[in-house]
Amino acid sequence: MLGLSSRLVSSRRTIVLLSSVSSATGRQENLAPVDRPLGWPRGHRVSRTEGLHSCAHLLAGHNKWSKVKNIKIPKDIARSHLIAKTLNLMRACINKKGTSDPANNIELSHLVEFCKKNDIPKATYQRALKSDGSKNQEILIEARGPQGLLFLIRAFTDKAPRVRQDVKNIIKKRGGDVVSDGVVRRMFEQKSVVSCLHQLEDGSVLDADRAMDVAILSGAEEVLRDTSDDGTDIFMFIADKFQLNNVVSALTEHNLHILSAETPFLPTMPVPCSDDMLQFAANLIESIKGHADVLDVFDNIESQSSS
């Protein structure tokens, strides 16, 4: 789960736009219009025979960059650091939703599953579930890097001014700066992102047509088809940031195997970067994520070689 938000930002090689589709009764059903971010294609009506609308160029470079970045960074983090980050993410989820009950907190539920899969002791994450994080607050730090790079840094802390200064020092050493004019924030859009396996819980395989049906019923705005870091085929259901619980519930009812459910910030206009700049950015993000109170770093980066 740690760092998944950055990975989820990127996986947009194949897309379904659901602004207008045929319902099960055969009549046209107009869904709420999708507020398209800058640089995204306009609405496209997808027929049942057409399946998923292929937009191979769409954020493909950002996809490639994010996978490289997130393969590198987690492997460099010591297990103790990984555990500390995960527990802080859990506290942030509790603070945001106001409940420590995983049954009523979808993001927290998936963090608990992450702890189990990664052999984090139950007593350790149970302490996080019982801890009082009321003194902490979640903050977003806006930052600019060289050559038009933008970063949103999400942190959870009881010392916001200190964290801002720490992050500012890290970024300024590398030619960037922390800003507070809101321009960086407006270059990202927060969305619900639910990642699922192609194979359903009952053993059947989810094809493009069925994915479209499920997306419509769940209230998702679009479906993306991609592979995860380990090469597993996945569908990603994208929805309004307030619809995470509804989408998860609907996908669960349709026997989809959910891998993750989060509300990351997606870049509206990715910036192409050379390989040298990608390496520079990866090192910078690694340094920022090394801060104990930083939960995640979102960026607007894509690789120039997006094929």
Side-chain angles (χ1 to χ4, degrees):
M1 177 67 66
L2 185 63
L4 277 181
S5 295
S6 300
R7 286 199 291 276
L8 293 174
V9 169
S10 64
S11 300
R12 299 184 174 207
R13 283 181 286 183
T14 309
I15 185 169
V16 176
L17 303 183
L18 300 171
S19 56
S20 180
V21 295
S22 297
S23 68
T25 61
R27 58 184 173 83
Q28 283 299 108
E29 181 179 274
N30 293 318
L31 303 182
V34 179
D35 183 16
R36 308 309 302 161
L38 296 174
W40 285 27
R42 307 308 300 173
H44 175 84
R45 183 170 296 171
V46 181
S47 68
R48 293 298 178 195
T49 56
E50 183 179 7
L52 293 180
H53 172 49
S54 178
C55 295
H57 66 284
L58 183 62
L59 297 186
H62 189 71
N63 181 32
K64 176 182 177 181
W65 143 249
S66 292
K67 288 187 177 180
V68 172
K69 173 185 64 177
N70 286 284
I71 288 172
K72 178 182 187 300
I73 293 175
K75 289 183 178 179
D76 291 341
I77 299 177
R79 178 170 171 79
S80 59
H81 194 183
L82 175 68
I83 293 175
K85 288 282 188 179
T86 304
L87 300 184
N88 205 26
L89 277 166
M90 295 177 75
R91 297 185 188 101
C93 284
I94 294 170
N95 181 270
K96 180 169 67 174
K97 297 295 184 180
T99 176
S100 60
D101 181 4
N104 296 313
N105 190 329
I106 296 296
E107 292 182 78
L108 181 63
S109 173
H110 284 275
L111 283 168
V112 170
E113 288 302 313
F114 175 83
C115 290
K116 293 177 180 178
K117 291 178 182 178
N118 288 272
D119 298 322
I120 296 177
K122 183 176 181 179
T124 300
Y125 67 78
Q126 285 290 342
R127 282 198 299 271
L129 293 176
K130 297 176 182 177
S131 64
D132 180 12
S134 58
K135 295 181 180 180
N136 290 21
Q137 61 176 315
E138 185 169 321
I139 61 173
L140 277 178
I141 303 171
E142 303 175 62
R144 293 179 179 273
Q147 300 185 21
L149 302 187
L150 301 177
F151 303 95
L152 271 184
I153 298 103
R154 178 176 167 237
F156 187 66
T157 180
D158 60 350
K159 299 179 179 65
R162 186 207 67 193
V163 174
R164 289 182 188 276
Q165 187 60 49
D166 290 347
V167 171
K168 183 175 183 177
N169 291 341
I170 293 171
I171 294 174
K172 288 196 75 171
K173 288 179 181 178
R174 293 163 176 81
D177 202 0
V178 168
V179 297
S180 57
D181 55 10
V183 174
V184 173
R185 172 63 185 86
R186 290 193 290 273
M187 298 302 291
F188 291 83
E189 184 177 23
Q190 191 173 21
K191 289 287 187 179
S192 295
V193 180
V194 184
S195 179
C196 304
L197 292 175
H198 279 204
Q199 187 170 5
L200 277 63
E201 296 285 3
D202 61 8
S204 61
V205 177
L206 185 70
D207 61 18
D209 285 344
R210 192 173 177 187
M212 290 173 60
D213 291 333
V214 173
I216 295 165
L217 294 172
S218 70
E221 297 169 355
E222 53 206 25
V223 184
L224 316 178
R225 181 164 56 189
D226 196 35
T227 55
S228 62
D229 290 343
D230 62 3
T232 303
D233 290 331
I234 59 173
F235 280 114
M236 304 180 74
F237 294 82
I238 314 298
D240 181 87
K241 64 180 179 180
F242 298 113
Q243 294 299 313
L244 184 66
N245 286 6
N246 292 338
V247 173
V248 169
S249 296
L251 297 181
T252 301
E253 288 177 4
H254 286 83
N255 296 319
L256 271 72
H257 184 100
I258 297 176
L259 297 176
S260 63
E262 297 183 299
T263 52
F265 289 88
L266 311 182
T268 60
M269 188 178 291
V271 173
C273 291
S274 64
D275 289 343
D276 288 343
M277 185 53 64
L278 292 181
Q279 184 60 56
F280 168 88
N283 292 336
L284 173 56
I285 292 173
E286 184 176 11
S287 297
I288 297 172
K289 282 192 170 184
H291 194 289
D293 293 334
V294 170
L295 300 178
D296 216 332
V297 180
F298 305 98
D299 61 71
N300 68 334
I301 301 167
E302 71 174 349
S303 169
Q304 285 184 341
S305 55
S306 59
S307 58

